[in-house]
Amino acid sequence: MSYQKRTAALASVAALAGSAVFMAAPAARADVVDVNYKCQTPIGVKTAVSPIDIKGVKSGSGYKLTMSWQKGVSSSPVELGKGAMSPSATIKVGGADSGTVSVSGPANAAAIPANTPIKINDLTGTYTPKASGKVTFTAAILTIKALGTTTTCTPTNSPGPSLTLDVTAAGGSSGSSGSTGSDTGTDSGGTLPKTGPDDSVIALGTLGGTVLLAGAAGTLWLTRRNQTARARR
């Protein structure tokens, strides 16, 4: 094979390898999902839409889940003083596993004015896998307790998962990779790598670049070898 053909072939292999890195990305992705809530309050039915974000951090044999609301939901006809409102919620587990995860959080740190959308603090809970594979996490029922009353907010728009993880149950093997979901990590308990679209592209681009650099190094080696062979002639 001529020098030019070898160089072209090597460049093609490097490019294909870089593409393979993108195709073999781990299944982990977080989506901010709009949830339409119908809230049964002491003064009647109220509706609200809030983008919901769920993140996961590996913690021992399970995951610490954090559920975040980007907009307020429901409201109160009277002011809610500091510490008067206590929120909790459930997250629906689907895919390779099933069930719900209960999450809760602190009471309001500041007074909430009357007739103002109630901003929910981040709620946290622990999920322990019972099965291995790709597991989804979807916003479910939100409960707000305040001034001796209970408001229950239920999603009405069948929202999609806010988080999908490839998990491994205790003593099991990991599930197959897929193309959806959010943060995954190791048993070290550290923060899971962010896996939003931008972070994924950056990470995969770095890996692809490594493959291409390896291809470039091979091309340089072939070039020097060819020049050495010609010099010896």
Side-chain angles (χ1 to χ4, degrees):
M1 181 182 293
S2 67
Y3 163 70
Q4 290 83 1
K5 289 183 179 180
R6 286 198 301 269
T7 301
L10 185 57
S12 298
V13 170
L16 289 173
S19 299
V21 171
F22 281 87
M23 294 295 291
R29 176 183 172 186
D31 291 321
V32 177
V33 177
D34 285 339
V35 179
N36 296 350
Y37 280 109
K38 179 180 180 181
C39 300
Q40 298 288 345
T41 79
I43 59 172
V45 175
K46 292 182 177 294
T47 59
V49 177
S50 178
I52 301 295
D53 178 36
I54 301 175
K55 290 184 172 64
V57 175
K58 193 74 170 69
S59 178
S61 60
Y63 293 83
K64 178 183 177 181
L65 301 182
T66 300
M67 188 177 189
S68 303
W69 279 257
Q70 296 190 4
K71 291 184 179 179
V73 298
S74 190
S75 62
S76 171
V78 298
E79 179 179 281
L80 298 178
K82 177 181 178 181
M85 186 272 293
S86 177
S88 62
T90 56
I91 297 173
K92 182 180 178 181
V93 178
D97 204 351
S98 63
T100 60
V101 177
S102 296
V103 291
S104 59
N108 55 306
I112 301 174
N115 301 311
T116 300
I118 297 173
K119 177 66 171 68
I120 306 299
N121 292 323
D122 288 355
L123 307 182
T124 60
T126 300
Y127 162 70
T128 302
K130 300 187 299 292
S132 299
K134 186 172 14 176
V135 177
T136 61
F137 301 88
T138 305
I141 297 174
L142 166 67
T143 302
I144 301 172
K145 294 185 177 180
L147 304 178
T149 67
T150 300
T151 293
T152 302
C153 300
T154 304
T156 60
N157 62 327
S158 298
S162 294
L163 171 67
T164 301
L165 295 173
D166 272 344
V167 304
T168 302
S173 57
S174 61
S176 59
S177 297
S179 58
T180 61
S182 179
D183 311 327
T184 58
T186 65
D187 289 337
S188 64
T191 301
L192 300 176
K194 296 180 180 178
T195 52
D198 293 338
D199 296 312
S200 297
V201 170
I202 292 172
L204 293 176
T206 301
L207 292 173
T210 301
V211 174
L212 292 176
L213 285 174
T219 301
L220 181 60
W221 179 82
L222 285 175
T223 299
R224 291 179 175 177
R225 181 182 179 186
N226 185 271
Q227 290 175 345
T228 301
R230 292 179 178 178
R232 289 177 176 176
R233 293 173 187 172

mmCIF file of all heavy atoms in Angstrom, residues 95-97 127 129-135 165-176:
data_model
loop_
_atom_site.group_PDB
_atom_site.id
_atom_site.type_symbol
_atom_site.label_atom_id
_atom_site.label_comp_id
_atom_site.label_asym_id
_atom_site.label_seq_id
_atom_site.Cartn_x
_atom_site.Cartn_y
_atom_site.Cartn_z
ATOM 1 N N GLY A 95 -39.369 2.088 34.434
ATOM 2 C CA GLY A 95 -38.318 1.428 33.659
ATOM 3 C C GLY A 95 -37.999 0.070 34.242
ATOM 4 O O GLY A 95 -38.889 -0.753 34.461
ATOM 5 N N ALA A 96 -36.727 -0.173 34.536
ATOM 6 C CA ALA A 96 -36.295 -1.469 35.054
ATOM 7 C C ALA A 96 -36.761 -1.714 36.485
ATOM 8 O O ALA A 96 -36.772 -2.843 36.961
ATOM 9 C CB ALA A 96 -34.770 -1.577 34.984
ATOM 10 N N ASP A 97 -37.143 -0.663 37.202
ATOM 11 C CA ASP A 97 -37.597 -0.770 38.587
ATOM 12 C C ASP A 97 -38.982 -0.131 38.690
ATOM 13 O O ASP A 97 -39.484 0.445 37.726
ATOM 14 C CB ASP A 97 -36.601 -0.062 39.508
ATOM 15 C CG ASP A 97 -36.635 -0.581 40.938
ATOM 16 O OD1 ASP A 97 -37.548 -1.369 41.264
ATOM 17 O OD2 ASP A 97 -35.744 -0.205 41.731
ATOM 18 N N TYR A 127 -33.057 6.821 47.024
ATOM 19 C CA TYR A 127 -33.544 5.713 46.199
ATOM 20 C C TYR A 127 -32.516 4.591 46.243
ATOM 21 O O TYR A 127 -31.326 4.797 45.981
ATOM 22 C CB TYR A 127 -33.750 6.159 44.747
ATOM 23 C CG TYR A 127 -33.831 5.020 43.758
ATOM 24 C CD1 TYR A 127 -34.926 4.163 43.735
ATOM 25 C CD2 TYR A 127 -32.787 4.784 42.852
ATOM 26 C CE1 TYR A 127 -34.991 3.105 42.842
ATOM 27 C CE2 TYR A 127 -32.853 3.741 41.944
ATOM 28 C CZ TYR A 127 -33.955 2.896 41.949
ATOM 29 O OH TYR A 127 -34.011 1.854 41.068
ATOM 30 N N PRO A 129 -31.818 0.958 44.481
ATOM 31 C CA PRO A 129 -32.268 0.090 43.382
ATOM 32 C C PRO A 129 -32.646 -1.309 43.862
ATOM 33 O O PRO A 129 -31.936 -1.925 44.650
ATOM 34 C CB PRO A 129 -31.044 0.041 42.456
ATOM 35 C CG PRO A 129 -30.243 1.246 42.803
ATOM 36 C CD PRO A 129 -30.445 1.447 44.264
ATOM 37 N N LYS A 130 -33.774 -1.790 43.374
ATOM 38 C CA LYS A 130 -34.190 -3.174 43.620
ATOM 39 C C LYS A 130 -33.942 -4.036 42.383
ATOM 40 O O LYS A 130 -34.065 -5.257 42.446
ATOM 41 C CB LYS A 130 -35.685 -3.219 43.990
ATOM 42 C CG LYS A 130 -36.030 -2.422 45.240
ATOM 43 C CD LYS A 130 -37.475 -2.639 45.666
ATOM 44 C CE LYS A 130 -38.475 -2.194 44.597
ATOM 45 N NZ LYS A 130 -38.465 -0.727 44.405
ATOM 46 N N ALA A 131 -33.645 -3.386 41.270
ATOM 47 C CA ALA A 131 -33.369 -4.079 40.014
ATOM 48 C C ALA A 131 -32.304 -3.310 39.257
ATOM 49 O O ALA A 131 -32.113 -2.112 39.479
ATOM 50 C CB ALA A 131 -34.648 -4.193 39.178
ATOM 51 N N SER A 132 -31.610 -3.994 38.372
ATOM 52 C CA SER A 132 -30.552 -3.364 37.583
ATOM 53 C C SER A 132 -31.062 -3.020 36.190
ATOM 54 O O SER A 132 -31.831 -3.770 35.599
ATOM 55 C CB SER A 132 -29.340 -4.301 37.480
ATOM 56 O OG SER A 132 -28.814 -4.584 38.748
ATOM 57 N N GLY A 133 -30.614 -1.882 35.673
ATOM 58 C CA GLY A 133 -31.017 -1.469 34.336
ATOM 59 C C GLY A 133 -31.294 0.020 34.286
ATOM 60 O O GLY A 133 -30.887 0.792 35.169
ATOM 61 N N LYS A 134 -31.999 0.438 33.248
ATOM 62 C CA LYS A 134 -32.318 1.848 33.065
ATOM 63 C C LYS A 134 -33.586 2.183 33.845
ATOM 64 O O LYS A 134 -34.645 1.630 33.597
ATOM 65 C CB LYS A 134 -32.491 2.162 31.584
ATOM 66 C CG LYS A 134 -32.688 3.652 31.344
ATOM 67 C CD LYS A 134 -32.686 4.107 29.907
ATOM 68 C CE LYS A 134 -32.822 3.093 28.849
ATOM 69 N NZ LYS A 134 -32.895 3.672 27.503
ATOM 70 N N VAL A 135 -33.479 3.102 34.807
ATOM 71 C CA VAL A 135 -34.596 3.454 35.687
ATOM 72 C C VAL A 135 -34.959 4.922 35.483
ATOM 73 O O VAL A 135 -34.084 5.788 35.400
ATOM 74 C CB VAL A 135 -34.229 3.202 37.164
ATOM 75 C CG1 VAL A 135 -35.359 3.646 38.089
ATOM 76 C CG2 VAL A 135 -33.911 1.727 37.391
ATOM 77 N N LEU A 165 -31.476 6.915 34.941
ATOM 78 C CA LEU A 165 -30.161 6.430 35.341
ATOM 79 C C LEU A 165 -30.023 4.952 35.000
ATOM 80 O O LEU A 165 -30.992 4.205 35.092
ATOM 81 C CB LEU A 165 -29.960 6.584 36.856
ATOM 82 C CG LEU A 165 -29.917 7.992 37.458
ATOM 83 C CD1 LEU A 165 -29.889 7.887 38.979
ATOM 84 C CD2 LEU A 165 -28.697 8.741 36.964
ATOM 85 N N ASP A 166 -28.821 4.539 34.642
ATOM 86 C CA ASP A 166 -28.497 3.116 34.579
ATOM 87 C C ASP A 166 -28.008 2.736 35.973
ATOM 88 O O ASP A 166 -26.984 3.249 36.437
ATOM 89 C CB ASP A 166 -27.408 2.844 33.540
ATOM 90 C CG ASP A 166 -27.979 2.620 32.152
ATOM 91 O OD1 ASP A 166 -29.186 2.378 32.054
ATOM 92 O OD2 ASP A 166 -27.217 2.697 31.176
ATOM 93 N N VAL A 167 -28.734 1.878 36.661
ATOM 94 C CA VAL A 167 -28.408 1.549 38.048
ATOM 95 C C VAL A 167 -28.075 0.069 38.191
ATOM 96 O O VAL A 167 -28.407 -0.747 37.328
ATOM 97 C CB VAL A 167 -29.582 1.903 38.992
ATOM 98 C CG1 VAL A 167 -29.973 3.366 38.843
ATOM 99 C CG2 VAL A 167 -30.791 1.007 38.725
ATOM 100 N N THR A 168 -27.437 -0.246 39.298
ATOM 101 C CA THR A 168 -27.095 -1.628 39.618
ATOM 102 C C THR A 168 -27.610 -1.954 41.009
ATOM 103 O O THR A 168 -27.251 -1.280 41.977
ATOM 104 C CB THR A 168 -25.568 -1.847 39.572
ATOM 105 O OG1 THR A 168 -25.084 -1.499 38.272
ATOM 106 C CG2 THR A 168 -25.239 -3.305 39.860
ATOM 107 N N ALA A 169 -28.473 -2.950 41.097
ATOM 108 C CA ALA A 169 -28.980 -3.366 42.401
ATOM 109 C C ALA A 169 -27.880 -4.074 43.174
ATOM 110 O O ALA A 169 -26.910 -4.577 42.591
ATOM 111 C CB ALA A 169 -30.186 -4.302 42.221
ATOM 112 N N ALA A 170 -28.000 -4.108 44.486
ATOM 113 C CA ALA A 170 -26.990 -4.761 45.325
ATOM 114 C C ALA A 170 -26.817 -6.217 44.893
ATOM 115 O O ALA A 170 -27.784 -6.974 44.804
ATOM 116 C CB ALA A 170 -27.403 -4.707 46.790
ATOM 117 N N GLY A 171 -25.580 -6.589 44.560
ATOM 118 C CA GLY A 171 -25.295 -7.952 44.136
ATOM 119 C C GLY A 171 -25.646 -8.239 42.696
ATOM 120 O O GLY A 171 -25.489 -9.353 42.216
ATOM 121 N N GLY A 172 -26.137 -7.212 41.958
ATOM 122 C CA GLY A 172 -26.533 -7.425 40.563
ATOM 123 C C GLY A 172 -25.517 -6.842 39.616
ATOM 124 O O GLY A 172 -24.485 -6.317 40.007
ATOM 125 N N SER A 173 -25.828 -6.947 38.321
ATOM 126 C CA SER A 173 -24.967 -6.386 37.292
ATOM 127 C C SER A 173 -25.674 -5.206 36.678
ATOM 128 O O SER A 173 -26.888 -5.093 36.722
ATOM 129 C CB SER A 173 -24.670 -7.432 36.209
ATOM 130 O OG SER A 173 -25.879 -7.913 35.655
ATOM 131 N N SER A 174 -24.903 -4.299 36.099
ATOM 132 C CA SER A 174 -25.482 -3.086 35.534
ATOM 133 C C SER A 174 -26.314 -3.410 34.317
ATOM 134 O O SER A 174 -26.091 -4.387 33.624
ATOM 135 C CB SER A 174 -24.369 -2.105 35.142
ATOM 136 O OG SER A 174 -23.529 -2.686 34.170
ATOM 137 N N GLY A 175 -27.309 -2.540 34.080
ATOM 138 C CA GLY A 175 -28.182 -2.727 32.932
ATOM 139 C C GLY A 175 -27.520 -2.239 31.664
ATOM 140 O O GLY A 175 -26.434 -1.685 31.673
ATOM 141 N N SER A 176 -28.203 -2.442 30.539
ATOM 142 C CA SER A 176 -27.652 -2.034 29.253
ATOM 143 C C SER A 176 -27.730 -0.533 29.112
ATOM 144 O O SER A 176 -28.566 0.115 29.692
ATOM 145 C CB SER A 176 -28.439 -2.702 28.122
ATOM 146 O OG SER A 176 -29.802 -2.333 28.194
#
